Amino acid sequence: MRDTYHDDLDSLSERLVEMTRLARHAVARATTALLDSDLNAAQEVISGDEELNRLDQEIEDTAFSLMARQQPVASDLRTIITSLAMRGDLERMGDHAVHLAKIARRRHPDSAIPKPVRSIVLEMGHQAELLVTKAGEVIVERDPDTALELDEDDDKMDRLRRKLLQRILAPGWEYGVEATMDVTLVGRFYERFGDHAVHVADNLVYMVTGEKREDYEPEA
């Protein structure tokens, strides 16, 4: 019985890591869909969200089953509770990738991203991949010190969004209301994707240490 219990606990982290992998693939393909007006990539992201939702439900079912059957305490209970929080963030990261893909699909066969901001959007896509990849790594390694680095990584995403907004508000922007709305939403969805990766890392800190991120002091 205890072996099954620990197997179920381990399965929570395994499913979370798989969700990070799927979210990374989704945001990468969504970026391709936006920049290349790739309808197949957009549809792949939209249909692929079902797998993220399935894992989200599996984590919830396992977590509630463990709490009902085993009455876990201390660190095991933290693992279960934080796993529930992390799977919610990862599921929403998938949703943001879907939103990006739907913008690309709506503008097909044209690109939703005008030429002056394409390089910024590409960089935001790469930063989103970096953030979710690192989130997966901190779950695997259970490393709170690396988890703290995601705040700085997310700061870069925030700077890119500000740069994007400055570009579309600058004199000489001549791409119309629809393109302006699309680019504004794209920036927002990438930013929120990054925010959720930081939430995952913050919950990992609490899972491992029992302390909130702002209270945790890395070892010298």
Side-chain angles (χ1 to χ4, degrees):
M1 180 68 74
R2 298 303 294 177
D3 286 344
T4 300
Y5 169 65
H6 287 293
D7 286 345
D8 286 345
L9 271 179
D10 291 342
S11 77
L12 294 176
S13 292
E14 291 166 2
R15 289 189 176 106
L16 287 170
V17 172
E18 178 64 8
M19 288 185 80
T20 67
R21 188 191 68 79
L22 291 172
R24 180 183 184 277
H25 180 74
V27 78
R29 295 297 284 160
T31 303
T32 296
L34 284 168
L35 294 175
D36 296 346
S37 190
D38 188 328
L39 190 59
N40 289 332
Q43 195 56 47
E44 180 184 337
V45 175
I46 295 164
S47 60
D49 193 51
E50 291 182 8
E51 181 67 8
L52 265 169
N53 292 338
R54 182 185 67 80
L55 287 167
D56 172 62
Q57 188 62 54
E58 286 183 2
I59 290 171
E60 181 179 295
D61 292 344
T62 300
F64 285 128
S65 175
L66 284 167
M67 288 191 286
R69 291 186 294 107
Q70 302 293 341
Q71 297 181 333
V73 296
S75 63
D76 287 351
L77 184 59
R78 284 205 311 272
T79 295
I80 293 169
I81 292 172
T82 52
S83 294
L84 284 169
M86 287 190 278
R87 60 92 196 178
D89 280 305
L90 290 164
E91 190 274 333
R92 285 188 284 276
M93 290 165 79
D95 289 344
H96 291 312
V98 168
H99 294 325
L100 293 169
K102 286 182 176 180
I103 291 173
R105 185 177 67 177
R106 186 166 63 245
R107 297 304 172 209
H108 181 80
D110 297 322
S111 172
I113 309 300
K115 186 175 180 179
V117 294
R118 289 175 65 83
S119 63
I120 302 173
V121 170
L122 178 61
E123 194 171 358
M124 294 184 84
H126 289 164
Q127 191 66 13
E129 290 184 59
L130 181 150
L131 282 158
V132 70
T133 298
K134 188 173 283 189
E137 290 171 355
V138 299
I139 294 171
V140 170
E141 301 295 334
R142 297 175 68 89
D143 181 356
D145 293 346
T146 301
L148 296 178
E149 296 176 5
L150 268 83
D151 258 341
E152 293 184 9
D153 295 328
D154 189 50
D155 286 343
K156 181 176 179 180
M157 181 70 87
D158 294 339
R159 289 193 297 271
L160 286 168
R161 182 173 182 243
R162 288 194 295 271
K163 183 178 179 180
L164 190 69
L165 293 176
Q166 288 168 359
R167 191 66 58 86
I168 65 176
L169 294 173
W173 177 261
E174 54 186 23
Y175 293 91
V177 174
E178 285 188 348
T180 301
M181 291 297 297
D182 285 343
V183 173
T184 301
L185 288 172
V186 163
R188 178 59 173 163
F189 293 141
Y190 278 121
E191 180 194 40
R192 292 299 296 147
F193 188 98
D195 289 343
H196 287 299
V198 173
H199 294 166
V200 169
D202 288 349
N203 275 293
L204 187 280
V205 173
Y206 180 71
M207 176 194 288
V208 174
T209 69
E211 298 181 60
K212 293 182 179 180
R213 177 189 58 79
E214 56 268 28
D215 298 326
Y216 173 66
E217 293 289 339
E219 294 183 6

